[in-house]
């Protein structure tokens, strides 16, 4: 097929349709976690300090139900395992994506960004329950509300996977940024990433540029560089290069922040009033260095801006030392500088650039 390259390292029936998927029950079957009836500190959504698991059966068109296991991670990512009961194989899918918490007027809501068939929406109906909802927040039809209940999170949700994302090979290291979640995964897999490097040289438009690929292989937890740490690594079995027109959110966000000069319009869900230029918090990136700088409210700031996919790595900011004469401006400046230095992840929502930490929206920007 013109414009596509494919390397087949072994034969597998890759018939899955999710962005990241695990096929079949068999050896990849994951038993549900144990129900949890009492929460400890650090277990409450949205301010979780460790993985939070949910399980249950959700309704399905064309099957007997969807056995669902959801694990929310403190960094704002998730793993979603769905097994369609009563369908032929493959019927089990594991998606990787981002979760977002919204403090709505009635019931708080949780949205999962990343599944192939569109975002998933839930109402946080209690400390231990999530109720599936429509996109506009209305309950789904049926006698019993479809609900996921807190469980102990399984150690893994399935390994066999495929992933669509941006591949780069730099400084003898290969990685992919998943289009659905914006997360960066190191790559391994015998000679597979050597062939990926060759494909990048053949298809990239500039040195260091990424190419869009579809990978097939296995997600494994491997030891990290520091003792006692682990990295989720994608072990490549086969791949194909996709047309660049496909694009993905990671490319769009990086392109926007690279050329954007942004002003802060909302902080922790509160819209900012009209401010004079000297007090208007702002943000600008120079990804080639990499740095970010801007006005924190009274003082100028600068700091490192390492973007790994859509994630801004944690790094301290340096601020000038001008005293704010307004206590409100002083408090706003401290919160704004603190959230940027703590890191988080970006997404685009229309013309807005949205910055979140974990599953909570912290700041919203608009072009100046």
């Amino acid at each position: 097929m013109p414009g596509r390259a494919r390397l087949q390292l072994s034969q597998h029936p890759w018939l899955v349709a999710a962005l990241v998927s695990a096929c079949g029950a068999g050896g990849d079957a994951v038993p549900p976690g144990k129900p949890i009836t009492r929460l400890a500190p650090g277990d409450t959504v949205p301010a979780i300090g460790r993985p939070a698991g949910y399980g249950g059966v959700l309704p399905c068109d064309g099957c007997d139900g969807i056995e669902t296991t959801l694990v929310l991670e403190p960094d704002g990512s998730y793993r979603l395992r769905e097994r369609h009961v009563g369908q032929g194989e493959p019927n089990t899918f594991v998606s990787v994506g981002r979760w977002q918490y919204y403090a709505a007027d009635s019931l708080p809501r949780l949205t999962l960004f990343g599944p192939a068939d569109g975002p998933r929406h839930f109402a946080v109906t209690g400390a231990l329950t999530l109720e599936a909802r429509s996109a506009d927040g209305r309950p789904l039809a049926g006698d019993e509300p479809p609900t996921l209940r807190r469980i102990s999170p399984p150690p893994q949700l399935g390994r066999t996977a495929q992933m669509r994302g941006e591949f780069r090979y730099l400084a003898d290291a290969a990685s992919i940024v998943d289009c659905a979640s914006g997360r960066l995964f190191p790559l391994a897999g015998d000679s597979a990433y050597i062939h990926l490097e060759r494909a990048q040289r053949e298809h990239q438009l500039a040195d260091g540029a990424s190419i869009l690929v579809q990978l097939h292989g296995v997600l494994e937890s491997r030891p990290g560089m520091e003792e006692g740490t682990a990295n989720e690594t994608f072990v490549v079995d086969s791949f194909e290069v996709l047309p660049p027109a496909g694009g993905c959110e990671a490319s769009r966000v990086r392109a926007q922040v690279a050329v954007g000069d942004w002003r802060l319009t909302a902080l922790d869900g509160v819209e900012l009033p009209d401010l004079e230029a000297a007090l208007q918090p702002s943000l600008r990136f120079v990804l080639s260095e990499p740095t970010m700088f801007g006005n924190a409210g009274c003082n100028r700031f600068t700091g490192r801006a390492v973007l790994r996919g859509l994630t801004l790595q944690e790094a301290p900011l340096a601020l000038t030392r001008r005293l704010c004469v307004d206590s409100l401006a002083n408090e706003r400046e401290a919160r704004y500088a603190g959230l940027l230095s703590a890191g988080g992840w970006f997404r685009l929502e229309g013309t807005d650039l949205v910055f979140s930490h974990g599953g909570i929206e912290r700041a919203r920007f608009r072009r100046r």
Side-chain angles (χ1 to χ4, degrees):
M1 185 178 294
R4 298 168 81 96
R6 181 170 176 81
L7 168 70
Q8 185 66 48
L9 301 178
S10 64
Q11 297 298 318
H12 290 282
W14 299 106
L15 303 175
V16 289
L19 247 353
V20 177
S21 53
C23 301
D28 280 337
V30 178
K34 296 180 180 179
I36 291 177
T37 58
R38 182 180 301 173
L39 295 179
D43 284 341
T44 305
V45 173
I48 55 173
R50 49 183 161 262
Y54 292 84
V57 178
L58 299 181
C60 169
D61 291 333
C63 73
D64 297 331
I66 305 173
E67 293 180 356
T68 302
T69 305
L70 170 65
V71 178
L72 304 178
E73 300 285 349
D75 67 357
S77 63
Y78 70 80
R79 300 291 184 273
L80 176 67
R81 183 180 189 270
E82 300 172 291
R83 188 173 81 87
H84 293 69
V85 181
Q87 286 188 342
E89 300 293 346
N91 66 350
T92 303
F93 308 103
V94 176
S95 301
V96 178
R98 292 283 187 180
W99 61 277
Q100 187 76 47
Y101 176 87
Y102 301 89
D105 293 336
S106 51
L107 287 174
R109 293 175 61 186
L110 192 78
T111 297
L112 306 182
F113 296 97
D117 54 354
R120 309 289 169 79
H121 305 276
F122 298 88
V124 183
T125 51
L128 299 170
T129 55
L130 299 177
E131 184 183 305
R133 294 291 180 100
S134 64
D136 58 6
R138 290 182 296 178
L140 300 181
D143 297 332
E144 293 290 333
T147 300
L148 301 181
R149 302 184 184 279
R150 281 296 287 267
I151 59 173
S152 57
Q156 65 180 38
L157 294 183
R159 302 183 343 129
T160 307
Q162 72 173 3
M163 184 177 293
R164 174 176 170 270
E166 299 176 351
F167 166 77
R168 281 185 177 84
Y169 189 96
L170 292 172
D172 297 326
S175 63
I176 185 171
V177 176
D178 173 44
C179 289
S181 65
R183 288 194 58 177
L184 182 144
F185 294 86
L187 293 182
D190 298 326
S191 62
Y193 61 89
I194 297 176
H195 293 275
L196 274 166
E197 179 195 12
R198 185 177 303 155
Q200 182 186 25
R201 288 199 303 267
E202 294 173 355
H203 292 85
Q204 71 181 14
L205 300 177
D207 290 342
S210 63
I211 57 173
L212 191 65
V213 294
Q214 185 88 10
L215 300 183
H216 309 276
V218 174
L219 275 173
E220 287 186 355
S221 180
R222 294 193 171 190
M225 297 292 291
E226 298 181 11
E227 186 176 354
T229 64
N231 288 327
E232 197 169 13
T233 300
F234 197 105
V235 183
V236 183
D237 175 80
S238 63
F239 75 92
E240 57 186 318
V241 178
L242 304 177
C248 72
E249 182 74 356
S251 286
R252 292 182 60 234
V253 170
R254 288 183 66 88
Q256 292 280 47
V257 301
V259 300
D261 188 3
W262 304 91
R263 62 182 177 88
L264 182 69
T265 60
L267 185 62
D268 289 327
V270 178
E271 291 190 15
L272 270 62
D274 291 334
L275 298 170
E276 57 183 281
L279 297 178
Q280 175 65 59
S282 62
L283 179 63
R284 189 169 185 178
F285 296 89
V286 182
L287 295 183
S288 58
E289 295 187 7
T291 60
M292 61 181 174
F293 60 92
N295 182 14
C298 306
N299 291 279
R300 306 292 297 176
F301 70 86
T302 185
R304 283 180 57 79
V306 179
L307 275 179
R308 298 192 179 280
L310 309 184
T311 301
L312 177 68
Q313 298 295 103
E314 179 180 354
L317 295 181
L319 284 87
T320 56
R321 297 188 177 183
R322 178 184 174 188
L323 181 65
C324 295
V325 295
D326 184 338
S327 61
L328 180 61
N330 188 64
E331 186 270 340
R332 182 171 57 229
E333 175 178 89
R335 282 197 294 140
Y336 179 48
L339 71 89
L340 287 179
S341 62
W345 65 283
F346 290 102
R347 77 175 195 276
L348 292 171
E349 191 174 291
T351 58
D352 288 351
L353 179 69
V354 180
F355 183 72
S356 299
H357 185 83
I360 308 170
E361 180 180 317
R362 297 298 311 276
R364 188 172 287 259
F365 301 87
R366 194 158 294 156
R367 288 190 181 280
R368 289 168 61 126

